């Protein structure tokens, strides 16, 4: 009998999982809370690492299409001082395809392809049956409906509703918050800023704060203002009032060179994203019928690994299931051990990275890049 498999969440993890299963002819129900693919802005650009996200895309049969969509020039990285001086500049080498960038919306559409996602399915709870072989695992939805599956894969992100079925862990605040804004068509409207940012990313590190600007396709730029602050730093601020948020950020970054502050002055809207993490090396006692992928399993600081890991995990779990449908639980167990080991290493690296990037000593941030960028 065919196993009934569901994945909760249609982000990078869930879609890659479903797409690789689809490639192997295995049916899967993709249950996504958003009412439609473009229900909310997709967020900034993602770099796809050769041995992680690109490997996952290869397993999905999508690497060639990815290469036509992605932006190798987006690998360019420069660091400026708070006075606007360029401290480091790393243009990508010709033919460098190690970490090309892709817009999140483009990646989502690439993964969606022929998948028949069930939009508007807001899962509220996942309940393992008392006799799993007979009862299966029940997913409860906000509209009161319930459905039962043999395997439920929680790929529902940081605030996963699947996670409580296997683990009591909840995300904790890192002490660093981020406010994102964006600029459209910088080459036409803000040519000075376009030159400052270059073809890829530009970062500026000050004392306990940072400004990071990343070029997306079509001259769109995402800017993240990151700073150490208590979680309730904005109690006297209306976060829906763009002018008030802008004024507050300009005060916070006061003294930085005028062109850098222009990134905030010209930003169109502001989204507050406090950075939370799950405990490093988060694991759980294996529970037949339920597992987690991506941020739901190992939320970590946003330092270029989360989506990559999420996608590779999705691809690997799908391949394991497709290879041995007789022992579904055995496949999940082996997968979990592998995911925990790899994600644990990345969680350590990114936790240490965040401490050094948004720190009292801006030289620490530059040193982080000196360690990872080609000389
Ligand atoms: C500012 C920023 C920059 C980043 N940059 C990078 C980068 O360059 N490279 C990189 O690899 N990673 C990056 N990351 C991390 C990356 O975004 C995440 O690790 C990645 O999106 C995790 O994928 P996921 O599929 O596990 O979860 P998500 O992307 O969070 O997707 C979860 C999905 O589940 C759905 N969902 C949630 N709850 C429910 C529910 N109850 N029922 C049904 N559906 C539900 C959501 O709507 C969503 O579609 C960045 C993160 C941030 C915040």
């Amino acid at each position: 009998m065919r196993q009934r498999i569901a994945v909760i969440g249609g982000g990078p993890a869930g879609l890659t999982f479903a797409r690789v299963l689809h490639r192997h002819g295995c049916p899967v129900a993709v249950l996504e809370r958003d009412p439609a693919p473009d229900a909310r802005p997709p967020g900034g650009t993602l770099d796809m690492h050769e041995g992680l996200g690109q490997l996952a895309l290869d397993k999905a049969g999508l690497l060639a299409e990815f290469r036509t969509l992605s932006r190798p020039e987006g690998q360019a990285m420069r660091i400026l001082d708070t006075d606007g001086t360029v401290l480091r500049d790393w243009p990508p080498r010709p033919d460098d395809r190690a970490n090309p960038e892709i817009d999140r919306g483009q990646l989502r559409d690439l993964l969606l392809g022929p998948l028949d996602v069930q939009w508007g399915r807001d899962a509220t709870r996942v309940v393992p049956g008392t006799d799993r072989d007979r009862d299966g695992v029940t997913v409860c939805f906000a509209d009161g409906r319930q459905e039962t599956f043999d395997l439920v894969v929680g790929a529902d992100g940081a605030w996963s509703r699947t996670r409580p079925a296997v683990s009591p862990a909840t995300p904790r605040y890192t002490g660093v918050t981020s406010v994102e804004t964006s600029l459209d068509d910088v080459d036409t409207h803000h040519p000075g800023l376009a030159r400052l940012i270059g073809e890829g990313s530009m970062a500026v590190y000050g004392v306990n704060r940072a400004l990071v600007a990343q070029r997306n396709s079509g001259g769109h730029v995402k800017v993240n203002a990151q700073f150490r602050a208590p979680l309730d730093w904005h109690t006297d601020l209306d976060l829906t009032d763009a002018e008030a948020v802008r004024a507050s950020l300009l005060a916070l970054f006061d003294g930085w060179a005028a062109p850098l502050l222009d990134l905030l002055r010209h930003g169109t809207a502001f989204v507050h994203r406090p950075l939370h993490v799950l405990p490093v090396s988060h694991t759980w006692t294996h529970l037949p019928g339920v597992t987690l992928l991506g941020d739901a399993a190992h939320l970590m600081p946003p330092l270029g690994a989360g989506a990559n890991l999420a996608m590779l995990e999705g691809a690997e779990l799908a391949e394991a299931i497709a290879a041995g449908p007789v022992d579904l639980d055995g496949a999940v167990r082996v997968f979990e051990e592998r995911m925990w080991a790899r994600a644990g290493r990345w969680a350590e690296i990114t936790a240490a990275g965040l401490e050094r990037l948004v720190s009292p000593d801006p030289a620490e941030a530059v040193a982080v890049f000196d360690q990872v960028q080609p000389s």
Side-chain angles (χ1 to χ4, degrees):
M1 197 185 72
R2 268 207 183 276
Q3 305 273 15
R4 298 161 300 171
I5 301 174
V7 59
I8 303 180
L15 290 183
T16 311
F17 173 69
R19 191 63 197 265
V20 175
L21 278 182
H22 181 271
R23 191 181 190 201
H24 290 277
C26 304
V28 54
V30 186
L31 311 166
E32 166 56 46
R33 180 177 58 193
D34 284 348
D38 53 0
R40 59 194 162 93
T45 177
L46 290 170
D47 57 339
M48 291 284 102
H49 303 209
E50 228 161 15
L52 296 172
Q54 288 189 56
L55 182 55
L57 288 163
D58 196 22
K59 290 176 184 293
L62 296 170
L63 192 56
E65 272 182 83
F66 166 77
R67 288 201 170 129
T68 62
L69 288 169
S70 62
R71 289 172 284 107
E73 69 278 11
Q75 297 169 105
M77 174 73 205
R78 62 174 59 144
I79 302 181
L80 273 61
D81 206 345
T82 54
D83 65 5
T85 317
V86 177
L87 295 174
R88 300 283 191 280
D89 197 4
W90 292 283
R93 283 184 293 236
D95 302 325
D96 186 353
R97 298 287 181 277
N99 304 294
E101 297 277 340
I102 186 166
D103 289 8
R104 277 176 199 255
Q106 290 177 323
L107 180 66
R108 179 200 59 212
D109 293 345
L110 178 64
L111 290 168
L112 271 177
L115 294 179
D116 189 12
V117 173
Q118 299 181 35
W119 301 102
R121 304 296 310 273
D122 184 1
T124 52
R125 210 154 64 97
V126 170
V127 188
T130 42
D131 177 354
R132 198 196 65 87
D133 286 340
R134 214 184 50 222
D135 304 342
V137 177
T138 301
V139 181
C140 308
F141 296 93
D143 60 8
R145 282 192 281 171
Q146 296 190 349
E147 269 184 72
T148 301
F149 302 92
D150 298 300
L151 175 65
V152 173
V153 177
D156 46 348
W159 304 101
S160 171
R161 295 300 187 101
T162 317
R163 191 168 52 232
V166 295
S167 165
T170 52
R172 77 164 173 83
Y173 178 53
T174 55
V176 177
T177 199
S178 180
V179 180
E180 182 186 284
T181 188
S182 43
L183 292 87
D184 282 320
D185 197 358
V186 281
D187 300 296
T188 310
H189 299 305
H190 310 290
L193 287 181
R195 280 192 297 278
L196 195 73
I197 297 162
E199 293 300 310
S201 300
M202 183 215 73
V204 192
Y205 296 96
V207 175
N208 287 327
R209 63 208 62 193
L211 265 185
V212 182
Q214 282 192 301
R215 201 181 259 268
N216 292 232
S217 64
H220 185 77
V221 166
K222 289 262 184 255
V223 179
N224 271 284
Q226 300 177 336
F227 48 96
R228 288 199 175 270
L231 191 52
D232 63 355
W233 68 276
H234 52 83
T235 39
D236 296 329
L237 186 64
D238 176 1
L239 288 175
T240 63
D241 179 347
E243 290 318 314
V245 177
R246 191 192 316 279
S248 157
L249 291 178
L250 287 170
L252 200 66
F253 287 83
D254 186 34
W256 288 33
L260 303 176
L261 297 184
D262 280 347
L263 292 167
L264 301 172
R265 281 197 191 97
H266 298 302
T268 46
F270 294 88
V271 183
H272 181 220
R273 295 187 206 281
L275 304 184
H276 287 80
V277 290
L278 280 169
V280 169
S281 297
H282 171 232
T283 62
W284 55 92
T285 304
H286 172 76
L287 180 73
V290 187
T291 194
L292 305 174
L293 296 179
D295 281 4
H298 49 65
L299 179 66
M300 51 186 82
L303 297 179
N308 279 274
L309 292 171
M311 290 170 66
L312 186 56
E313 290 158 9
E316 287 179 347
L317 180 60
E319 280 190 341
I321 291 170
V326 180
D327 183 13
L328 185 62
D329 191 49
V332 174
R333 267 181 196 273
V334 172
F335 160 78
E336 283 173 342
E337 295 289 342
R338 193 172 175 183
M339 169 175 68
W340 291 334
R342 183 172 49 215
R345 290 194 298 275
W346 279 98
E348 267 178 37
I349 293 169
T350 53
L354 185 66
E355 286 307 304
R356 295 176 71 193
L357 288 175
V358 187
S359 83
D361 179 5
E364 272 296 301
V366 182
V368 169
F369 283 93
D370 282 340
Q371 279 166 7
V372 295
Q373 289 288 346
S375 49

